[in-house]
Amino acid sequence: MITDVPGVLVGHHERVGDGWATGTTVVLVPEGAVGAVDQRGGAPGTRETNLLEPENLVQRVNAVCLSGGSAYGLAAADGVMRWLAERNLGFPVGTQPHEVVPIVPAAVLFDLPRSDWGNRPDASFGYAACDAASSGPVALGTVGAGAGAVVGSLKGGIGSASEVVGEFTVGAVAAVNAAGEAVDLSTGRPYAADHGDFGVTWPSRAASLPSRRTGLNTTIGVVAVDAALSKAEARRIAVAAQDGLARAVRPAHTMFDGDTVFALATGARELPDAGGPMARPVALDALCSAAARVFARAMVHGLLAATTAGGVPAYRDVWPEVSG
């Protein structure tokens, strides 16, 4: 999981039932991490993404907030900022320890139809997600920002995955909420099923499902690595992770998705600089390839772990014969 990357914590807060199916997921890096972002598709909902451009002043972020609630859900980041400020974590702007501005980029997905109107994440969701954050296993499925997520005709959710590349660890967390399908409905096999051993026996049976597309969706997520990278190099990680998203859903990056992937580089390990001028780019390329794989796997895990909510069937409701 993404928490296999040392220094990365994840917490969720959600409400499901009684007119609610939405939530917030926070990726915390208390020691800070170099941040970057790659946004694709025509319907983004984001906050504090411009500061992640390589030419801009701030280099490190304190957390990334992923939330349901469409643009309303960006308010969850206020709670993340408050939680960090209470602990004096942020960009120093004065001489006293508490004089900081927490740096919290955020992105939201569209899940409004799964809740009664007006039920959406606010600052309390972000604060509670921070309180719940840990370096342990990440809760998957209908939790956090994935509580009201839908992918094509099926329930989406939170997924996570990781991979070791030499001395480095690359991890991802994704809130799977794409306009496109994540599954070949003629067989029941996820499009990214070949990206890992998921411990299941895939079905081979078609399913006829009513379209659940609302016209507005968006998959959001974070990929983290324990490498020391510049902001420009971290952005290459985020760009590559979007390739993993495109392997997992069809179509991807539509006008109705605001697909946004953040990258965090904790800086624990240096990339190699010996062996000629190409040593560093070659090492970075290996991390980029891993980022695509782990993001694709995270999306499959989010699909498999999801449970029915808001009247949308989960994968295992449609193909209950899946084992493992």
Side-chain angles (χ1 to χ4, degrees):
M1 297 185 173
I2 191 172
T3 50
D4 293 331
V5 179
V8 175
L9 291 71
V10 175
H12 305 300
H13 182 70
E14 69 283 329
R15 290 189 65 177
V16 178
D18 297 326
W20 290 81
T22 190
T24 298
T25 296
V26 174
V27 180
L28 282 175
V29 276
E31 301 302 318
V34 170
V37 67
D38 185 71
Q39 190 281 313
R40 304 189 190 187
T46 58
R47 166 171 164 166
E48 292 278 54
T49 51
N50 281 355
L51 68 79
L52 298 177
E53 296 293 335
E55 68 272 19
N56 290 334
L57 172 66
V58 174
Q59 298 296 306
R60 300 175 74 82
V61 306
N62 305 107
V64 174
C65 180
L66 309 174
S67 187
S70 190
Y72 295 108
L74 289 171
D78 292 340
V80 181
M81 289 189 69
R82 180 164 64 88
W83 190 93
L84 290 164
E86 288 174 358
R87 290 154 180 81
N88 299 337
L89 297 172
F91 183 77
V93 293
T95 59
Q96 300 301 312
H98 67 277
E99 295 177 337
V100 298
V101 176
I103 305 300
V104 185
V108 291
L109 54 79
F110 185 82
D111 61 359
L112 295 179
R114 259 67 70 193
S115 299
D116 292 344
W117 189 257
N119 290 349
R120 55 237 181 185
D122 57 17
S124 69
F125 278 63
Y127 194 96
C130 289
D131 269 346
S134 81
S135 59
V138 179
L140 305 180
T142 306
V143 296
V150 171
V151 55
S153 305
L154 296 165
K155 184 69 179 68
I158 291 289
S160 192
S162 69
E163 180 177 327
V164 174
V165 183
E167 297 181 348
F168 301 97
T169 302
V170 181
V173 63
V176 184
N177 188 64
E181 298 284 357
V183 176
D184 181 346
L185 298 181
S186 68
T187 66
R189 183 180 176 88
Y191 288 123
D194 60 348
H195 277 61
D197 180 3
F198 296 94
V200 303
T201 300
W202 298 116
S204 183
R205 175 175 61 83
S208 178
L209 295 170
S211 174
R212 301 276 178 175
R213 296 180 184 177
T214 63
L216 296 167
N217 285 80
T218 297
T219 293
I220 53 181
V222 177
V223 60
V225 60
D226 55 353
L229 304 178
S230 68
K231 288 169 74 175
E233 290 170 330
R235 186 170 186 275
R236 294 304 308 174
I237 300 290
V239 168
Q242 291 274 18
D243 293 338
L245 189 161
R247 297 173 193 175
V249 294
R250 300 179 186 178
H253 307 141
T254 73
M255 284 296 294
F256 308 103
D257 289 293
D259 301 329
T260 302
V261 179
F262 297 94
L264 297 173
T266 66
R269 300 176 184 274
E270 295 288 341
L271 289 183
D273 55 10
M278 296 303 291
R280 187 177 183 91
V282 167
L284 177 62
D285 191 60
L287 298 179
C288 289
S289 295
R293 292 191 295 268
V294 298
F295 205 87
R297 288 207 305 278
M299 292 188 66
V300 177
H301 283 302
L303 173 76
L304 294 179
T307 54
T308 297
V312 183
Y315 179 87
R316 289 179 187 255
D317 295 330
V318 180
W319 288 278
E321 68 270 29
V322 170
S323 61

